[in-house]
DNA sequence: CAGCATCCTCCGTGATACTG
DNA sequence: CAGTATCACGGAGGATGCTG
């Protein structure tokens, strides 16, 4: 058996998990989006937009794409006219919701 | 019966607690700082700086000041030469740490 | 050791308009 | 309804040097 390839620079093994997580859920809109998605099974694009005060199409779209790419959000498109798209949290992301609940409670007291 | 007074703009009463919290703990460095402070009773400035990879003096100082102003961090300065300053979490902030622990665990799995 | 003062850059974010 | 495509900008964040 040959020698296994040397492990090259696996930065992610050294990086702080909190910082890694923040790369995925950080930014101005992602946590608010996740939080809104967390109290409904599925949410439509415009419903999401209305419920998150101040967010623009640009940022909502981009944030949802980022979250989807990282596997936190599921996007289901129904082939209808007019278009119909439902967003929901993945199981991976569900495990994060308890943290958001704590933050929410904490936020009430400040 | 008279008409009830119109609700004037009490933004703080309407705002989502999560968003409020994020104004205080959001940004690139604040949560990493809090996280580092959470696993020690007190931490000195340069120790904090060394342990948070990539942070600059500017951002560490500013972030600590913001956190102190919002009552999340306690700063104790000892009158010595050379200077000696200890940072620690306030009780208010301690209540937030369980959320960071969840985020940390979650971050290990991504 | 623990910052502060400046200056500067970059890009996250916003505004606007348009579309299948 | 659910987005895309551009363009522009302000301010969060960074680099550098200095100090009590």
């Amino acid at each position: 058996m040959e020698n296994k390839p040397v492990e090259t620079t696996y930065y992610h093994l050294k990086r702080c998990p909190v910082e890694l997580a923040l790369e995925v859920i950080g930014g101005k809109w992602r946590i608010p989006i996740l939080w809104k998605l967390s109290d409904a099974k599925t949410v439509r694009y415009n419903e999401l937009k209305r419920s998150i005060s101040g967010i623009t199409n640009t940022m909502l779209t981009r944030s949802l794409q980022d979250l989807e790419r990282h596997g936190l959000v599921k996007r289901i498109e129904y082939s209808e006219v007019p278009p119909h798209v439902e967003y929901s949290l993945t199981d991976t992301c569900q495990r994060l919701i308890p943290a958001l609940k704590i933050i929410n409670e904490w936020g009430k007291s400040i």
Side-chain angles (χ1 to χ4, degrees), chain A:
Chain A
M1 186 183 284
E2 294 294 327
N3 46 12
K4 298 234 289 262
V6 173
E7 293 285 301
T8 46
T9 48
Y10 282 1
Y11 294 115
H12 61 286
L13 291 179
K14 316 182 162 194
R15 306 260 330 268
C16 168
V18 167
E19 288 174 28
L20 282 174
L22 288 175
E23 285 179 13
V24 175
I25 62 169
K28 188 170 178 180
W29 300 109
R30 291 179 196 168
I31 287 184
I33 289 170
L34 296 179
W35 181 238
K36 171 63 187 176
L37 286 175
S38 73
D39 62 24
K41 283 205 179 62
T42 67
V43 185
R44 299 182 63 161
Y45 181 89
N46 275 323
E47 189 183 350
L48 212 40
K49 190 181 170 192
R50 277 189 300 272
S51 70
I52 300 175
S53 172
I55 197 168
T56 61
N57 276 330
T58 310
M59 291 314 296
L60 179 54
T61 299
R62 185 176 309 171
S63 301
L64 284 169
Q65 287 169 348
D66 293 342
L67 291 169
E68 189 189 5
R69 187 159 34 82
H70 284 103
L72 304 207
V73 160
K74 209 172 347 184
R75 179 184 184 276
I76 301 182
E77 181 175 354
Y78 298 91
S79 294
E80 301 175 358
V81 178
H84 181 177
V85 179
E86 300 270 9
Y87 290 94
S88 58
L89 298 184
T90 63
D91 291 345
T92 300
C93 191
Q94 292 287 356
R95 296 189 293 105
L96 194 60
I97 300 306
L100 302 192
K101 286 188 174 153
I102 294 171
I103 291 172
N104 187 58
E105 287 305 312
W106 187 84
K108 291 178 185 174
S109 66
I110 60 173

